[in-house]
Amino acid sequence: MYFRCLIVLVLIASQIPVAFSQQSESPTDTTLLKSLKQYPRKNTLPVRRPVIFPETVRLPEPEMLELSINYWRNWTSFGVNVNQASFSENWGGGGVNSLALGGQYTFKTDYTKGDKNFVSDLILQYGKLKNKDQLSRKTADRIFWDNKVALKLSKSWYFFGSINFESQFDRGFSFSKNAQGNEIRTLLSRFMAPGYLTESVGFEYKPVKYFFVRIGTGTARQTFMIDTNLYKTNPKNFGVEPGENFRNELAFQIVGAIDKDIAVNLNLKSRYTMFANYEKLKSIDNRLDLTLTARVNKLINVSLAGIVLYDDDTANEIQASQALSLGLIYKFPR
């Protein structure tokens, strides 16, 4: 009897794992286990969102904070150009030893507050060239200072008043040779001979920062000649009566300018001036200055500059000049 009971217990124990394995292999239970493993049950407890109550904070007055606004913006640049060439005495291709040196300084300041604007632009240029066995010559010589005050009338129109001064540093000559073949020079101009002072009032159209057109309906220009004997070598005498040192003109003037980066590291700067004397409208003075500057790196620039001028008080035909230079330039702020 005891032996039979032991056999029954063994058989029952051997059937228990089989039953559990059959239950685990059922599709319903397998899916449920997998879902429990892969996608744990989310927390069903409610989450309370924070409630934000914005409040207005009153800041102290600017005077109490000791804050100040600087309405001035300044730009300054220095530039130096050097060109040198030398040849040995037996150089088969021919050539002449030469040395050229040029410098430029520019300064611009801008003050803008509300509808009021003031701009001052200063340009100083001077360059000299010396070839062997020749007299030295100028390659650049200019003093230019322009000042403008404007009051905004609308989005793109301003009422302005301006004063402009222009002259040169050094004497200017024309060169020729005498009967013996020696080089001689004839004086044409010098500092404040001529010197120009121009006052103008009118309206300015400025749709964008890099472009403007001034229409000076009331413009006066004074021409100064401190050398009253210059007419002996320059008969035109820049429109001033021989022996006199002053001339005043009333005119209508248009000035247009653009200063824009037209590509990466490439800047275009141009200024056009038309001056129409009310006494002789048939003869209108025109001047176009154009400068294209390519920036090689932070210190080296390549520039191509040109000037086209018609002024019958200087010459009866159109005058032109062109200069290509490679040099060092430093600007700040950088």
Side-chain angles (χ1 to χ4, degrees), residues 211-271:
F211 171 77
F212 71 81
V213 175
R214 299 180 196 168
I215 304 173
T217 54
T219 302
R221 182 173 73 180
Q222 297 80 44
T223 304
F224 299 93
M225 294 291 294
I226 63 171
D227 187 347
T228 56
N229 295 318
L230 191 65
Y231 72 93
K232 296 178 180 179
T233 54
N234 186 350
K236 285 279 186 179
N237 207 41
F238 300 99
V240 180
E241 290 293 329
E244 301 292 329
N245 56 19
F246 178 81
R247 178 192 181 190
N248 187 58
E249 300 174 85
L250 298 178
F252 173 79
Q253 186 182 56
I254 293 179
V255 178
I258 183 172
D259 187 351
K260 180 177 174 57
D261 292 332
I262 59 176
V264 178
N265 295 330
L266 186 62
N267 176 264
L268 173 65
K269 183 178 292 185
S270 177
R271 184 182 180 95

Short mmCIF file of all heavy atoms in Angstrom, two decimals, residues 211-271:
data_model
loop_
_atom_site.label_atom_id
_atom_site.label_comp_id
_atom_site.label_asym_id
_atom_site.label_seq_id
_atom_site.Cartn_x
_atom_site.Cartn_y
_atom_site.Cartn_z
N PHE A 211 22.90 104.64 -49.87
CA PHE A 211 22.67 105.47 -51.06
C PHE A 211 21.89 106.72 -50.68
O PHE A 211 20.97 106.68 -49.85
CB PHE A 211 21.89 104.67 -52.11
CG PHE A 211 21.40 105.51 -53.27
CD1 PHE A 211 22.28 105.90 -54.26
CD2 PHE A 211 20.08 105.91 -53.35
CE1 PHE A 211 21.84 106.68 -55.33
CE2 PHE A 211 19.63 106.68 -54.40
CZ PHE A 211 20.51 107.07 -55.39
N PHE A 212 22.26 107.87 -51.29
CA PHE A 212 21.50 109.09 -51.09
C PHE A 212 21.66 110.00 -52.30
O PHE A 212 22.64 109.90 -53.07
CB PHE A 212 21.93 109.83 -49.81
CG PHE A 212 23.28 110.48 -49.88
CD1 PHE A 212 23.46 111.72 -50.48
CD2 PHE A 212 24.40 109.86 -49.34
CE1 PHE A 212 24.70 112.33 -50.56
CE2 PHE A 212 25.65 110.46 -49.40
CZ PHE A 212 25.80 111.69 -50.01
N VAL A 213 20.71 110.90 -52.45
CA VAL A 213 20.75 111.95 -53.47
C VAL A 213 20.35 113.26 -52.79
O VAL A 213 19.27 113.33 -52.17
CB VAL A 213 19.81 111.66 -54.65
CG1 VAL A 213 19.80 112.85 -55.62
CG2 VAL A 213 20.23 110.41 -55.39
N ARG A 214 21.20 114.28 -52.89
CA ARG A 214 20.89 115.60 -52.35
C ARG A 214 20.53 116.54 -53.50
O ARG A 214 21.25 116.62 -54.49
CB ARG A 214 22.07 116.17 -51.59
CG ARG A 214 22.53 115.37 -50.39
CD ARG A 214 23.71 116.07 -49.73
NE ARG A 214 24.43 115.21 -48.81
CZ ARG A 214 25.62 115.50 -48.30
NH1 ARG A 214 26.22 116.64 -48.62
NH2 ARG A 214 26.22 114.66 -47.48
N ILE A 215 19.45 117.27 -53.32
CA ILE A 215 19.02 118.26 -54.29
C ILE A 215 19.15 119.62 -53.63
O ILE A 215 18.32 120.01 -52.81
CB ILE A 215 17.57 118.00 -54.74
CG1 ILE A 215 17.44 116.57 -55.29
CG2 ILE A 215 17.14 119.02 -55.79
CD1 ILE A 215 16.01 116.17 -55.61
N GLY A 216 20.23 120.31 -53.96
CA GLY A 216 20.51 121.60 -53.34
C GLY A 216 19.92 122.73 -54.14
O GLY A 216 20.57 123.24 -55.08
N THR A 217 18.71 123.13 -53.80
CA THR A 217 18.05 124.20 -54.55
C THR A 217 18.69 125.56 -54.29
O THR A 217 18.64 126.45 -55.14
CB THR A 217 16.56 124.25 -54.19
OG1 THR A 217 16.43 124.36 -52.76
CG2 THR A 217 15.86 122.98 -54.64
N GLY A 218 19.28 125.71 -53.12
CA GLY A 218 20.00 126.94 -52.81
C GLY A 218 21.44 126.62 -52.47
O GLY A 218 21.73 126.12 -51.39
N THR A 219 22.35 126.89 -53.40
CA THR A 219 23.76 126.52 -53.23
C THR A 219 24.64 127.71 -53.58
O THR A 219 24.42 128.40 -54.57
CB THR A 219 24.13 125.33 -54.13
OG1 THR A 219 23.28 124.22 -53.83
CG2 THR A 219 25.58 124.92 -53.92
N ALA A 220 25.65 127.92 -52.75
CA ALA A 220 26.64 128.97 -53.01
C ALA A 220 28.03 128.35 -52.92
O ALA A 220 28.29 127.50 -52.06
CB ALA A 220 26.50 130.10 -51.99
N ARG A 221 28.90 128.77 -53.80
CA ARG A 221 30.28 128.27 -53.80
C ARG A 221 31.25 129.43 -53.93
O ARG A 221 31.10 130.29 -54.81
CB ARG A 221 30.52 127.27 -54.94
CG ARG A 221 31.92 126.69 -54.92
CD ARG A 221 32.09 125.58 -55.95
NE ARG A 221 32.14 126.10 -57.31
CZ ARG A 221 32.27 125.33 -58.39
NH1 ARG A 221 32.35 124.02 -58.26
NH2 ARG A 221 32.29 125.87 -59.60
N GLN A 222 32.25 129.42 -53.04
CA GLN A 222 33.31 130.41 -53.07
C GLN A 222 34.61 129.74 -53.54
O GLN A 222 34.98 128.69 -53.02
CB GLN A 222 33.53 131.06 -51.71
CG GLN A 222 32.33 131.85 -51.20
CD GLN A 222 31.27 130.97 -50.58
OE1 GLN A 222 31.57 130.06 -49.82
NE2 GLN A 222 30.01 131.23 -50.90
N THR A 223 35.27 130.36 -54.51
CA THR A 223 36.55 129.87 -55.00
C THR A 223 37.64 130.82 -54.51
O THR A 223 37.58 132.04 -54.77
CB THR A 223 36.58 129.80 -56.54
OG1 THR A 223 35.49 128.98 -56.99
CG2 THR A 223 37.89 129.22 -57.02
N PHE A 224 38.63 130.27 -53.80
CA PHE A 224 39.71 131.08 -53.21
C PHE A 224 40.99 130.88 -54.02
O PHE A 224 41.34 129.77 -54.43
CB PHE A 224 39.95 130.68 -51.76
CG PHE A 224 38.76 130.88 -50.87
CD1 PHE A 224 37.86 129.85 -50.65
CD2 PHE A 224 38.54 132.10 -50.26
CE1 PHE A 224 36.76 130.03 -49.84
CE2 PHE A 224 37.44 132.29 -49.44
CZ PHE A 224 36.54 131.26 -49.23
N MET A 225 41.73 131.96 -54.23
CA MET A 225 43.02 131.94 -54.91
C MET A 225 44.00 132.77 -54.09
O MET A 225 44.07 134.00 -54.22
CB MET A 225 42.89 132.52 -56.33
CG MET A 225 42.04 131.70 -57.26
SD MET A 225 42.82 130.13 -57.71
CE MET A 225 44.21 130.73 -58.63
N ILE A 226 44.78 132.12 -53.22
CA ILE A 226 45.72 132.87 -52.41
C ILE A 226 46.93 133.31 -53.22
O ILE A 226 47.65 134.22 -52.82
CB ILE A 226 46.17 132.05 -51.18
CG1 ILE A 226 46.91 130.78 -51.63
CG2 ILE A 226 44.99 131.69 -50.30
CD1 ILE A 226 47.57 130.03 -50.48
N ASP A 227 47.15 132.66 -54.36
CA ASP A 227 48.24 133.05 -55.25
C ASP A 227 47.65 133.89 -56.38
O ASP A 227 47.09 133.36 -57.34
CB ASP A 227 48.94 131.81 -55.81
CG ASP A 227 50.20 132.16 -56.60
OD1 ASP A 227 50.40 133.35 -56.92
OD2 ASP A 227 50.98 131.23 -56.89
N THR A 228 47.75 135.18 -56.26
CA THR A 228 47.14 136.07 -57.25
C THR A 228 47.94 136.15 -58.54
O THR A 228 47.51 136.79 -59.51
CB THR A 228 46.98 137.48 -56.67
OG1 THR A 228 48.26 137.95 -56.21
CG2 THR A 228 46.00 137.47 -55.50
N ASN A 229 49.12 135.51 -58.58
CA ASN A 229 49.94 135.50 -59.80
C ASN A 229 49.83 134.19 -60.56
O ASN A 229 50.53 133.99 -61.56
CB ASN A 229 51.41 135.76 -59.45
CG ASN A 229 51.64 137.15 -58.88
OD1 ASN A 229 51.09 138.13 -59.38
ND2 ASN A 229 52.45 137.24 -57.83
N LEU A 230 48.96 133.30 -60.12
CA LEU A 230 48.85 131.99 -60.76
C LEU A 230 48.33 132.09 -62.20
O LEU A 230 48.66 131.26 -63.04
CB LEU A 230 47.93 131.07 -59.94
CG LEU A 230 47.91 129.60 -60.33
CD1 LEU A 230 49.27 128.96 -60.06
CD2 LEU A 230 46.82 128.85 -59.56
N TYR A 231 47.59 133.13 -62.51
CA TYR A 231 47.04 133.28 -63.86
C TYR A 231 48.15 133.42 -64.90
O TYR A 231 47.92 133.21 -66.10
CB TYR A 231 46.09 134.48 -63.92
CG TYR A 231 46.77 135.81 -63.84
CD1 TYR A 231 47.15 136.51 -65.00
CD2 TYR A 231 47.06 136.41 -62.60
CE1 TYR A 231 47.79 137.74 -64.92
CE2 TYR A 231 47.69 137.64 -62.52
CZ TYR A 231 48.05 138.28 -63.68
OH TYR A 231 48.69 139.51 -63.60
N LYS A 232 49.36 133.79 -64.46
CA LYS A 232 50.46 133.96 -65.42
C LYS A 232 50.92 132.63 -66.00
O LYS A 232 51.44 132.59 -67.12
CB LYS A 232 51.63 134.66 -64.72
CG LYS A 232 51.29 136.08 -64.26
CD LYS A 232 52.47 136.71 -63.55
CE LYS A 232 52.14 138.13 -63.07
NZ LYS A 232 53.28 138.75 -62.35
N THR A 233 50.76 131.57 -65.25
CA THR A 233 51.13 130.24 -65.74
C THR A 233 49.90 129.36 -65.99
O THR A 233 50.01 128.33 -66.65
CB THR A 233 52.05 129.53 -64.73
OG1 THR A 233 51.41 129.52 -63.44
CG2 THR A 233 53.39 130.25 -64.63
N ASN A 234 48.75 129.76 -65.46
CA ASN A 234 47.51 129.03 -65.70
C ASN A 234 46.44 130.05 -66.09
O ASN A 234 45.76 130.60 -65.23
CB ASN A 234 47.09 128.27 -64.44
CG ASN A 234 45.88 127.37 -64.68
OD1 ASN A 234 45.24 127.43 -65.71
ND2 ASN A 234 45.59 126.52 -63.71
N PRO A 235 46.30 130.32 -67.39
CA PRO A 235 45.41 131.39 -67.84
C PRO A 235 43.96 131.22 -67.39
O PRO A 235 43.26 132.22 -67.18
CB PRO A 235 45.53 131.34 -69.37
CG PRO A 235 46.84 130.68 -69.62
CD PRO A 235 47.02 129.69 -68.51
N LYS A 236 43.48 130.01 -67.24
CA LYS A 236 42.11 129.79 -66.81
C LYS A 236 41.88 130.32 -65.40
O LYS A 236 40.78 130.78 -65.07
CB LYS A 236 41.79 128.29 -66.85
CG LYS A 236 41.57 127.73 -68.24
CD LYS A 236 40.17 128.03 -68.72
CE LYS A 236 39.86 127.36 -70.04
NZ LYS A 236 38.48 127.62 -70.52
N ASN A 237 42.87 130.20 -64.55
CA ASN A 237 42.83 130.72 -63.18
C ASN A 237 41.60 130.23 -62.41
O ASN A 237 41.11 130.90 -61.50
CB ASN A 237 42.87 132.25 -63.18
CG ASN A 237 43.47 132.81 -61.90
OD1 ASN A 237 44.47 132.28 -61.38
ND2 ASN A 237 42.89 133.88 -61.39
N PHE A 238 41.08 129.06 -62.81
CA PHE A 238 39.95 128.41 -62.14
C PHE A 238 38.72 129.30 -62.03
O PHE A 238 37.95 129.23 -61.07
CB PHE A 238 40.37 127.91 -60.75
CG PHE A 238 41.49 126.91 -60.81
CD1 PHE A 238 42.81 127.32 -60.58
CD2 PHE A 238 41.25 125.58 -61.11
CE1 PHE A 238 43.85 126.41 -60.64
CE2 PHE A 238 42.30 124.66 -61.17
CZ PHE A 238 43.59 125.07 -60.94
N GLY A 239 38.54 130.14 -63.03
CA GLY A 239 37.34 130.98 -63.09
C GLY A 239 37.43 132.27 -62.31
O GLY A 239 36.50 133.08 -62.36
N VAL A 240 38.51 132.50 -61.62
CA VAL A 240 38.69 133.73 -60.84
C VAL A 240 39.33 134.79 -61.74
O VAL A 240 40.24 134.49 -62.52
CB VAL A 240 39.56 133.48 -59.59
CG1 VAL A 240 39.73 134.76 -58.79
CG2 VAL A 240 38.95 132.37 -58.74
N GLU A 241 38.86 136.00 -61.62
CA GLU A 241 39.41 137.09 -62.44
C GLU A 241 40.91 137.25 -62.14
O GLU A 241 41.33 137.16 -60.98
CB GLU A 241 38.69 138.40 -62.13
CG GLU A 241 37.26 138.46 -62.63
CD GLU A 241 37.18 138.46 -64.14
OE1 GLU A 241 38.11 138.99 -64.80
OE2 GLU A 241 36.18 137.93 -64.68
N PRO A 242 41.75 137.46 -63.18
CA PRO A 242 43.20 137.62 -62.96
C PRO A 242 43.50 138.71 -61.93
O PRO A 242 42.94 139.81 -61.98
CB PRO A 242 43.72 138.01 -64.35
CG PRO A 242 42.73 137.41 -65.29
CD PRO A 242 41.40 137.51 -64.61
N GLY A 243 44.35 138.36 -60.98
CA GLY A 243 44.73 139.29 -59.94
C GLY A 243 43.80 139.26 -58.74
O GLY A 243 44.14 139.83 -57.69
N GLU A 244 42.64 138.62 -58.86
CA GLU A 244 41.70 138.52 -57.75
C GLU A 244 41.96 137.23 -56.97
O GLU A 244 42.61 136.31 -57.46
CB GLU A 244 40.25 138.55 -58.25
CG GLU A 244 39.88 139.80 -59.02
CD GLU A 244 39.85 141.02 -58.13
OE1 GLU A 244 39.54 140.87 -56.92
OE2 GLU A 244 40.14 142.13 -58.62
N ASN A 245 41.45 137.21 -55.74
CA ASN A 245 41.64 136.01 -54.93
C ASN A 245 40.33 135.41 -54.42
O ASN A 245 40.35 134.56 -53.53
CB ASN A 245 42.56 136.31 -53.74
CG ASN A 245 42.03 137.46 -52.90
OD1 ASN A 245 40.87 137.83 -52.96
ND2 ASN A 245 42.93 138.05 -52.12
N PHE A 246 39.19 135.84 -55.04
CA PHE A 246 37.92 135.33 -54.54
C PHE A 246 36.87 135.41 -55.65
O PHE A 246 36.83 136.37 -56.44
CB PHE A 246 37.47 136.16 -53.33
CG PHE A 246 36.14 135.76 -52.76
CD1 PHE A 246 36.03 134.67 -51.91
CD2 PHE A 246 34.99 136.47 -53.10
CE1 PHE A 246 34.79 134.31 -51.39
CE2 PHE A 246 33.76 136.12 -52.58
CZ PHE A 246 33.66 135.03 -51.72
N ARG A 247 36.01 134.39 -55.67
CA ARG A 247 34.87 134.38 -56.60
C ARG A 247 33.69 133.69 -55.93
O ARG A 247 33.87 132.64 -55.30
CB ARG A 247 35.22 133.65 -57.89
CG ARG A 247 34.06 133.57 -58.89
CD ARG A 247 34.37 132.59 -59.99
NE ARG A 247 33.28 132.53 -60.98
CZ ARG A 247 33.21 131.61 -61.94
NH1 ARG A 247 34.17 130.70 -62.06
NH2 ARG A 247 32.19 131.61 -62.78
N ASN A 248 32.51 134.27 -56.06
CA ASN A 248 31.30 133.69 -55.46
C ASN A 248 30.31 133.32 -56.57
O ASN A 248 30.11 134.09 -57.52
CB ASN A 248 30.65 134.67 -54.49
CG ASN A 248 29.49 134.03 -53.73
OD1 ASN A 248 29.66 133.03 -53.05
ND2 ASN A 248 28.30 134.61 -53.87
N GLU A 249 29.70 132.13 -56.43
CA GLU A 249 28.72 131.64 -57.40
C GLU A 249 27.48 131.14 -56.69
O GLU A 249 27.57 130.52 -55.62
CB GLU A 249 29.30 130.49 -58.24
CG GLU A 249 30.54 130.83 -59.04
CD GLU A 249 31.13 129.61 -59.70
OE1 GLU A 249 30.67 129.25 -60.80
OE2 GLU A 249 32.04 128.99 -59.11
N LEU A 250 26.30 131.39 -57.29
CA LEU A 250 25.04 130.83 -56.83
C LEU A 250 24.59 129.80 -57.85
O LEU A 250 24.62 130.06 -59.06
CB LEU A 250 23.98 131.93 -56.68
CG LEU A 250 24.29 133.02 -55.66
CD1 LEU A 250 23.18 134.07 -55.65
CD2 LEU A 250 24.47 132.42 -54.27
N ALA A 251 24.15 128.62 -57.36
CA ALA A 251 23.92 127.53 -58.29
C ALA A 251 22.87 126.56 -57.77
O ALA A 251 22.42 126.64 -56.62
CB ALA A 251 25.24 126.80 -58.55
N PHE A 252 22.49 125.67 -58.67
CA PHE A 252 21.66 124.51 -58.35
C PHE A 252 22.59 123.30 -58.35
O PHE A 252 23.35 123.09 -59.30
CB PHE A 252 20.55 124.35 -59.39
CG PHE A 252 19.75 123.09 -59.23
CD1 PHE A 252 18.75 123.00 -58.28
CD2 PHE A 252 20.00 122.00 -60.05
CE1 PHE A 252 18.00 121.85 -58.15
CE2 PHE A 252 19.26 120.84 -59.93
CZ PHE A 252 18.25 120.76 -58.96
N GLN A 253 22.53 122.48 -57.30
CA GLN A 253 23.49 121.38 -57.16
C GLN A 253 22.78 120.06 -56.88
O GLN A 253 21.79 120.01 -56.14
CB GLN A 253 24.47 121.67 -56.03
CG GLN A 253 25.60 120.64 -55.89
CD GLN A 253 26.51 120.94 -54.72
OE1 GLN A 253 26.07 121.07 -53.59
NE2 GLN A 253 27.80 121.06 -55.00
N ILE A 254 23.30 119.00 -57.46
CA ILE A 254 22.85 117.64 -57.18
C ILE A 254 24.07 116.82 -56.78
O ILE A 254 25.10 116.83 -57.48
CB ILE A 254 22.16 117.00 -58.39
CG1 ILE A 254 20.84 117.72 -58.71
CG2 ILE A 254 21.88 115.52 -58.14
CD1 ILE A 254 20.11 117.16 -59.90
N VAL A 255 23.96 116.11 -55.67
CA VAL A 255 25.02 115.23 -55.20
C VAL A 255 24.42 113.86 -54.93
O VAL A 255 23.42 113.74 -54.19
CB VAL A 255 25.68 115.77 -53.91
CG1 VAL A 255 26.74 114.80 -53.41
CG2 VAL A 255 26.29 117.14 -54.16
N GLY A 256 25.00 112.84 -55.52
CA GLY A 256 24.56 111.46 -55.28
C GLY A 256 25.74 110.60 -54.89
O GLY A 256 26.84 110.78 -55.41
N ALA A 257 25.53 109.68 -53.96
CA ALA A 257 26.63 108.83 -53.49
C ALA A 257 26.12 107.44 -53.17
O ALA A 257 24.96 107.26 -52.77
CB ALA A 257 27.30 109.45 -52.27
N ILE A 258 27.00 106.48 -53.33
CA ILE A 258 26.72 105.09 -52.98
C ILE A 258 27.97 104.51 -52.33
O ILE A 258 29.10 104.77 -52.77
CB ILE A 258 26.29 104.26 -54.21
CG1 ILE A 258 25.93 102.83 -53.79
CG2 ILE A 258 27.37 104.26 -55.29
CD1 ILE A 258 25.32 102.02 -54.91
N ASP A 259 27.78 103.75 -51.27
CA ASP A 259 28.87 103.07 -50.58
C ASP A 259 28.34 101.71 -50.13
O ASP A 259 27.66 101.60 -49.12
CB ASP A 259 29.34 103.89 -49.38
CG ASP A 259 30.59 103.31 -48.71
OD1 ASP A 259 30.99 102.18 -49.08
OD2 ASP A 259 31.16 103.97 -47.83
N LYS A 260 28.65 100.66 -50.92
CA LYS A 260 28.01 99.36 -50.71
C LYS A 260 28.98 98.22 -50.99
O LYS A 260 29.79 98.29 -51.92
CB LYS A 260 26.78 99.23 -51.62
CG LYS A 260 26.04 97.91 -51.49
CD LYS A 260 24.81 97.88 -52.36
CE LYS A 260 24.14 96.52 -52.35
NZ LYS A 260 23.76 96.07 -50.99
N ASP A 261 28.89 97.16 -50.20
CA ASP A 261 29.61 95.92 -50.47
C ASP A 261 28.82 95.14 -51.51
O ASP A 261 27.74 94.60 -51.23
CB ASP A 261 29.77 95.09 -49.19
CG ASP A 261 30.69 95.75 -48.18
OD1 ASP A 261 31.58 96.51 -48.61
OD2 ASP A 261 30.53 95.50 -46.97
N ILE A 262 29.34 95.08 -52.74
CA ILE A 262 28.62 94.43 -53.83
C ILE A 262 28.92 92.94 -53.92
O ILE A 262 28.25 92.21 -54.65
CB ILE A 262 28.94 95.11 -55.17
CG1 ILE A 262 30.45 95.06 -55.45
CG2 ILE A 262 28.45 96.54 -55.17
CD1 ILE A 262 30.83 95.64 -56.81
N ALA A 263 29.92 92.48 -53.19
CA ALA A 263 30.25 91.06 -53.12
C ALA A 263 31.08 90.85 -51.85
O ALA A 263 31.40 91.80 -51.13
CB ALA A 263 31.03 90.60 -54.36
N VAL A 264 31.42 89.59 -51.60
CA VAL A 264 32.23 89.29 -50.42
C VAL A 264 33.60 89.94 -50.58
O VAL A 264 34.30 89.72 -51.58
CB VAL A 264 32.37 87.77 -50.24
CG1 VAL A 264 33.26 87.45 -49.03
CG2 VAL A 264 30.99 87.14 -50.05
N ASN A 265 33.99 90.80 -49.63
CA ASN A 265 35.28 91.49 -49.63
C ASN A 265 35.46 92.41 -50.84
O ASN A 265 36.58 92.67 -51.26
CB ASN A 265 36.43 90.48 -49.58
CG ASN A 265 36.46 89.69 -48.29
OD1 ASN A 265 36.04 90.18 -47.24
ND2 ASN A 265 36.94 88.46 -48.35
N LEU A 266 34.36 92.90 -51.40
CA LEU A 266 34.44 93.81 -52.55
C LEU A 266 33.49 94.99 -52.31
O LEU A 266 32.28 94.80 -52.18
CB LEU A 266 34.08 93.09 -53.84
CG LEU A 266 34.26 93.89 -55.14
CD1 LEU A 266 35.73 94.27 -55.32
CD2 LEU A 266 33.76 93.10 -56.33
N ASN A 267 34.05 96.20 -52.25
CA ASN A 267 33.27 97.39 -51.93
C ASN A 267 33.29 98.37 -53.10
O ASN A 267 34.32 98.60 -53.73
CB ASN A 267 33.83 98.07 -50.67
CG ASN A 267 33.12 99.37 -50.35
OD1 ASN A 267 33.58 100.44 -50.72
ND2 ASN A 267 32.01 99.28 -49.65
N LEU A 268 32.13 98.97 -53.36
CA LEU A 268 32.00 99.99 -54.39
C LEU A 268 31.64 101.30 -53.72
O LEU A 268 30.67 101.38 -52.97
CB LEU A 268 30.93 99.61 -55.41
CG LEU A 268 30.57 100.68 -56.45
CD1 LEU A 268 31.77 100.98 -57.35
CD2 LEU A 268 29.36 100.26 -57.27
N LYS A 269 32.42 102.33 -54.00
CA LYS A 269 32.16 103.67 -53.46
C LYS A 269 32.18 104.66 -54.62
O LYS A 269 33.16 104.72 -55.38
CB LYS A 269 33.20 104.04 -52.41
CG LYS A 269 32.95 105.39 -51.74
CD LYS A 269 34.00 105.68 -50.69
CE LYS A 269 33.85 104.73 -49.52
NZ LYS A 269 34.78 105.07 -48.41
N SER A 270 31.11 105.43 -54.73
CA SER A 270 31.00 106.37 -55.84
C SER A 270 30.31 107.65 -55.37
O SER A 270 29.45 107.61 -54.49
CB SER A 270 30.20 105.74 -57.00
OG SER A 270 30.05 106.67 -58.05
N ARG A 271 30.71 108.78 -55.97
CA ARG A 271 30.10 110.08 -55.64
C ARG A 271 30.03 110.91 -56.92
O ARG A 271 31.04 111.09 -57.61
CB ARG A 271 30.92 110.80 -54.57
CG ARG A 271 30.30 112.14 -54.11
CD ARG A 271 31.20 112.81 -53.09
NE ARG A 271 30.65 114.07 -52.62
CZ ARG A 271 29.92 114.23 -51.52
NH1 ARG A 271 29.69 113.16 -50.77
NH2 ARG A 271 29.46 115.39 -51.16
#
